[in-house]
Amino acid sequence: MSYIKCLYCRECGREYPVAPEHVCEFCFGPLEVGYDYDLISKVISRESIQKGPLSMWRYQDLLPVSKEDGIDMGTGFTPLIKAENLGKLFGLKNLYIKNDSTNPTFSFKDRVVSVATNKALEFGFETLACASTGNLAGAVSAHGAKAGLDTKVFFPADLEQGKILGAAIYGATLVAVNGTYDEVNRLCSELSDNHRWAFVNVNLRPFYSEGSKTLGYEVAEQLGWRAPDRCIVPAASGSLFTKIWKSLNELKDLGLIDSVNTRMDLAQPQGCSPIVEAFEQKTFHVKPIRPETIAKSLAIGNPADGFYALKTIADSKGNAVRVPEHEVAECIQLLAETEGIFTETAGGVVISSLRSLAKRGIISAEEVVVAFMTGNGLKTLEAIEHVADPVFTDPDYDSFQEALNSWNGRRQNVY
Ligand SMILES: *Cc1c(COP(=O)(O)O)cnc(C)c1O
Ligand SMILES: [Zn+2]
């Protein structure tokens, strides 16, 4: 059972039937899923959610798919970890890490793709496709395999090995495009006009993007049904960022949490920070740039939801933070050495933003802060190759003692 009512235009409000469409024919605004919240409020409660599966599907009443005979790869309900060690370092007493790198293909993209794949099955598509910055390719490939769909994933050719192989293994057709993500996306838009393919983040985007809401629902439930005081979220297109905000407000409107006083802080790397740039220029108009960043999962120079992300920052009195490229790997290491969590480059961007906000006194010590780790470090090994520094030794006692002593002499911690 799904409570989806229609699609509607976020700009002019015009309503559309539920179909694999994503732009308004009249004003070219993006389409959004409309729900029957009156009906939802009659069936949903904390108890009904808690009786559901330990996955993102416990929030199915708030998702745009029925899924009765759909697929569930066990995505979601990922750990929310109290980060005591890192918190102490930054002077934060209530710092939490939402570790979404434990999903089936090791990133939060499994959430959006789970919704999109089930919607593609409902619409009767036979081909599942995407324009990817990396993690999406893996998620689409795995879900396509599980659903028995033909799968085609498009990505910039300079992608990390871990992300290419992490998609290839599922038997998808890989399309490595000589160009940026924005060029890949343009190609995919053209293809989706001319082929009956379900591009999860193009023609299925209104449904797909709703999957990100489950991250916000989970955090609120895991905090004991309350919204955090602050969320720090990495942004590429800006969609995830806006959907976490939407999810918290839905919970409030449905009476599942009391209030939302959450500041939404958006994090981008120096080499691809068009949303931060607009925030600093005090405009809602994002000027496209050509990305050049170590955080390839965030390398979108023309972010589709940039405007709405800026609105979310304004509505929530949040911030936008730009992170120096060299701090990305350093902060991946910092999180690993303090909390035992190995995140990818996007996570490094978030930790660096968190540190910057804490140092500048923008975050106060008592705030309940959630930093979102959206992907797994094993997929971006290129970024941290310099970290490996073993004690090289011959296999005898004296050699080892000597080698250890000289190694101790040059050992450096990142903090
Ligand atoms: C895709 C991605 C994001 C950003 O998602 P948007 O919704 O496009 O802003 C963040 N982190 C990781 C690891 C990603 O793969
Ligand atoms: Zn419109």
Side-chain angles (χ1 to χ4, degrees), residues 160-197:
E160 298 99 337
Q161 272 299 304
K163 287 181 182 163
I164 295 175
L165 296 176
I169 195 67
Y170 303 108
T173 302
L174 308 187
V175 185
V177 179
N178 289 319
T180 63
Y181 168 82
D182 299 283
E183 290 164 324
V184 174
N185 192 49
R186 212 169 306 137
L187 169 63
C188 290
S189 292
E190 214 179 312
L191 286 167
S192 82
D193 288 340
N194 294 293
H195 298 264
R196 202 180 137 71
W197 294 349

Side-chain angles (χ1 to χ4, degrees), residues 38-113:
D38 288 340
L39 255 181
I40 294 175
S41 72
K42 293 200 176 82
V43 296
I44 207 167
S45 63
R46 292 179 184 178
E47 293 69 33
S48 75
I49 291 169
Q50 280 157 351
K51 268 192 252 147
L54 282 174
S55 75
M56 62 180 272
W57 294 106
R58 67 207 270 110
Y59 311 105
Q60 192 189 329
D61 290 340
L62 290 160
L63 295 173
V65 277
S66 47
K67 207 201 126 275
E68 263 85 45
D69 42 26
I71 59 161
D72 177 1
M73 299 186 64
T75 297
F77 224 71
T78 55
L80 181 74
I81 309 282
K82 182 108 196 250
E84 307 275 3
N85 300 330
L86 190 63
K88 211 165 279 167
L89 212 58
F90 291 168
L92 302 174
K93 296 201 179 113
N94 296 297
L95 174 62
Y96 292 85
I97 300 292
K98 179 62 171 168
N99 183 9
D100 228 30
S101 71
T102 63
N103 279 315
T105 70
F106 317 107
S107 87
F108 97 91
K109 292 294 198 302
D110 286 321
R111 297 177 185 272
V112 279
V113 174

Side-chain angles (χ1 to χ4, degrees), residues 8-14 16 23-31:
Y8 69 91
C9 173
R10 283 171 91 170
E11 291 305 316
C12 72
R14 199 177 295 262
Y16 289 85
V23 268
C24 177
E25 286 170 14
F26 294 87
C27 77
F28 301 107
L31 301 184

Side-chain angles (χ1 to χ4, degrees), residues 384-390 392:
I384 48 107
E385 266 163 359
H386 60 281
V387 169
D389 177 24
F392 283 105

Side-chain angles (χ1 to χ4, degrees), residues 2 4-7 16-21 33-34 64 119 122-123 207:
S2 153
I4 181 170
K5 213 170 53 177
C6 62
L7 295 176
Y16 289 85
V18 176
E21 302 288 346
V33 171
K119 208 66 201 173
E122 278 180 29
F123 285 137
F207 311 97

Side-chain angles (χ1 to χ4, degrees), residues 106-109 112 133-136 163 205 208 212 233-241 275 297-298 300 305 344-347 372-376:
F106 317 107
S107 87
F108 97 91
K109 292 294 198 302
V112 279
T133 58
N135 285 312
L136 189 53
K163 287 181 182 163
R205 190 172 180 84
Y208 158 96
S212 291
V233 183
S237 72
S239 174
L240 168 65
F241 183 77
I275 304 176
S297 56
L298 303 182
I300 297 185
D305 289 276
E344 72 142 76
T345 46
F372 289 80
M373 299 303 117
T374 45
N376 194 298

